[in-house]
Amino acid sequence: MRRWILAIAILAAACFLSLGAEAQVAQQQGHQTERISGSAGDVLEDDPVGRLKVYVYDLPSKYNKKLLKKDPRCLNHMFAAEIFMHRFLLSSAVRTFNPEEADWFYTPVYTTCDLTPSGLPLPFKSPRMMRSAIELIATQWPYWNRSEGADHFFVTPHDFGACFHYQEEKAIGRGILPLLQRATLVQTFGQKNHVCLKDGSITIPPYAPPQKMQAHLIPADTPRSIFVYFRGLFYDTSNDPEGGYYARGARASVWENFKNNPLFDISTDHPPTYYEDMQRAVFCLCPLGWAPWSPRLVEAVVFGCIPVIIADDIVLPFADAIPWEEIGVFVAEEDVPKLDSILTSIPTDVILRKQRLLANPSMKQAMLFPQPAQAGDAFHQILNGLARKLPHGENVFLKPGERALNWTAGPVGDLKPW
């Protein structure tokens, strides 16, 4: 068995050298990237300007800027999309100052900017903060009441979106904040048939710092000499002391099955060469943690490392525009013990095509929230998603006196003043 594994490692290393050589030749010939087949490529390059108008509510700073001033760390964590989306819209060409001509209304509430000393967001005040903001716009402007939020969108980048809790069981118990039931949610969380993913939501990538990743780029023709790469937790003994609940056991299975496999470069260590190492890897594991998503997916795409997605029923970012099946590998959680045979059985031509697709600049750009914004980035993909929902259907606007939402629904604690 040991001899067989070593043989695979030697063959794999030889294969990686040829992959690097092929990639270098392709680059010299000007064919290092490949256009996305079908409509997906066109969708990624859509320009939303002229296709929609967005009105940005001017809320008191206690809902956004004051929170950020109190704790600037909010700018750097993976939930920061809500802050950067607000900044983007304030200067975007789609912004209108006339609410009467708006297609969509945006309420800038920084619900993840309540951090613990270690820098993790606490969701406990989030529902009250959101409810307070909605009560304010419903009182001071007429536009919420005419649709009860059906032409409004909110960015809710918590682990489980507008369920506002980082533990799945408790998030499911809470459910989506009732006042958001008719609104469009722009959220990082996505899992099919899940209480915390509402129909019509736009799933987005988590925030990963573009400038930081840019600073760690290495030459594109660097050989990919690592077969499988992963850095992160395999167990969370603090929050899951008995094991099996964290990542539904998938990460633990990766460690238990492959910690001694030479094809797998996996560890809990997070080296200073983390970004460079991803650029030297063929496959990067993107397993679920407490939630199905993490910034690893963004990092893998940006660095051209084929993402190996281990999260059953996940709904990926901009799934109507990015051809995830063509650029990634999906492995069922129960099949983790077979990861080595699954990945080594993928034909070389398939690997090369995935790498060419990942090298397409439009693919990388769609996963990032750069400052300033750039054509085709995640900001524009969100707007494209909103534009594709237009025109609004007849069921968006309510008849005079008609009501669809229960303002007193939800956990008792959420009804307290914020």
Side-chain angles (χ1 to χ4, degrees):
M1 183 68 174
R2 180 181 176 83
R3 191 173 295 175
W4 176 83
I5 293 176
L6 289 173
I8 289 290
I10 294 169
L11 289 172
C15 177
F16 301 155
L17 290 174
S18 69
L19 287 178
E22 283 192 56
Q24 190 169 5
V25 170
Q27 188 173 26
Q28 291 169 352
Q29 295 175 344
H31 298 296
Q32 75 274 25
T33 66
E34 183 169 324
R35 182 165 177 80
I36 306 159
S37 62
S39 62
D42 299 323
V43 170
L44 279 178
E45 296 168 12
D46 278 351
D47 184 355
V49 176
R51 299 170 59 211
L52 79 166
K53 293 183 179 181
V54 176
Y55 181 79
V56 180
Y57 285 115
D58 186 14
L59 298 185
S61 62
K62 69 175 185 177
Y63 292 102
N64 40 64
K65 296 177 183 177
K66 190 173 182 179
L67 292 169
L68 179 58
K69 185 177 181 180
K70 178 182 176 182
D71 198 335
R73 292 179 301 171
C74 299
L75 280 171
N76 300 313
H77 64 39
M78 59 185 175
F79 308 97
E82 63 182 358
I83 298 171
F84 290 113
M85 188 66 188
H86 182 203
R87 291 183 173 183
F88 163 72
L89 285 172
L90 290 177
S91 59
S92 172
V94 306
R95 184 185 182 186
T96 178
F97 291 89
N98 179 5
E100 294 295 336
E101 67 177 16
D103 300 297
W104 289 99
F105 294 81
Y106 168 65
T107 308
V109 185
Y110 298 173
T111 60
T112 65
C113 201
D114 180 20
L115 304 182
T116 65
S118 61
L120 298 174
L122 285 170
F124 309 117
K125 296 179 183 177
S126 301
R128 286 183 283 148
M129 186 191 309
M130 185 67 79
R131 173 182 285 275
S132 173
I134 293 173
E135 289 174 346
L136 178 67
I137 63 174
T139 301
Q140 295 193 5
W141 289 271
Y143 308 104
W144 173 275
N145 294 322
R146 70 181 186 180
S147 69
E148 290 200 323
D151 55 352
H152 289 55
F153 71 93
F154 296 81
V155 181
T156 56
H158 278 282
D159 290 276
F160 290 94
C163 285
F164 295 126
H165 208 287
Y166 58 88
Q167 292 181 350
E168 184 173 19
E169 185 177 337
K170 292 182 179 179
I172 291 173
R174 289 188 52 83
I176 293 173
L177 185 70
L179 291 185
L180 294 175
Q181 289 294 343
R182 285 175 59 80
T184 290
L185 302 181
V186 177
Q187 60 184 62
T188 42
F189 170 76
Q191 184 173 323
K192 297 175 185 176
N193 304 315
H194 197 284
V195 169
C196 299
L197 180 65
K198 192 170 74 69
D199 288 345
S201 297
I202 296 174
T203 50
I204 63 173
Y207 176 76
Q211 293 84 356
K212 183 178 179 181
M213 289 189 286
Q214 180 74 25
H216 287 267
L217 288 176
I218 62 177
D221 59 356
T222 301
R224 292 188 177 266
S225 55
I226 301 171
F227 189 50
V228 180
Y229 188 75
F230 177 79
R231 290 294 184 273
L233 290 177
F234 298 99
Y235 307 90
D236 187 345
T237 53
S238 298
N239 298 298
D240 182 27
E242 296 181 4
Y245 186 68
Y246 176 62
R248 296 197 283 259
R251 291 194 185 202
S253 182
V254 169
W255 179 250
E256 290 161 6
N257 285 281
F258 304 109
K259 60 186 176 183
N260 296 318
N261 189 317
L263 296 179
F264 284 67
D265 188 344
I266 58 176
S267 172
T268 56
D269 295 335
H270 202 287
T273 58
Y274 173 69
Y275 284 156
E276 288 83 357
D277 292 343
M278 293 188 84
Q279 295 169 78
R280 296 186 180 98
V282 176
F283 297 104
C284 288
L285 300 185
C286 301
L288 74 163
W290 283 113
W293 59 271
S294 81
R296 285 181 193 82
L297 185 67
V298 177
E299 295 161 349
V301 171
V302 169
F303 292 133
C305 185
I306 298 170
V308 180
I309 299 157
I310 307 170
D312 293 352
D313 297 322
I314 189 172
V315 177
L316 290 163
F318 309 129
D320 58 346
I322 295 178
W324 289 105
E325 294 284 349
E326 295 184 52
I327 66 173
V329 175
F330 290 79
V331 176
E333 293 165 26
E334 66 178 6
D335 290 336
V336 166
K338 299 184 288 186
L339 255 179
D340 53 350
S341 60
I342 291 172
L343 297 179
T344 55
S345 66
I346 299 175
T348 300
D349 62 324
V350 173
I351 292 175
L352 286 170
R353 183 170 188 275
K354 290 180 184 294
Q355 290 176 331
R356 288 195 298 269
L357 286 170
L358 283 167
N360 191 312
S362 64
M363 196 78 67
K364 303 175 187 296
Q365 191 75 334
M367 299 294 285
L368 296 173
F369 295 91
Q371 303 294 309
Q374 301 171 13
D377 61 17
F379 300 117
H380 290 83
Q381 301 309 324
I382 293 171
L383 293 182
N384 283 333
L386 292 169
R388 287 193 287 272
K389 293 178 177 292
L390 298 174
H392 292 301
E394 295 180 358
N395 63 335
V396 166
F397 301 106
L398 303 176
K399 298 175 183 178
E402 183 182 3
R403 289 290 175 265
L405 298 177
N406 181 354
W407 284 73
T408 60
V412 175
D414 292 357
L415 304 180
K416 297 178 181 179
W418 178 71

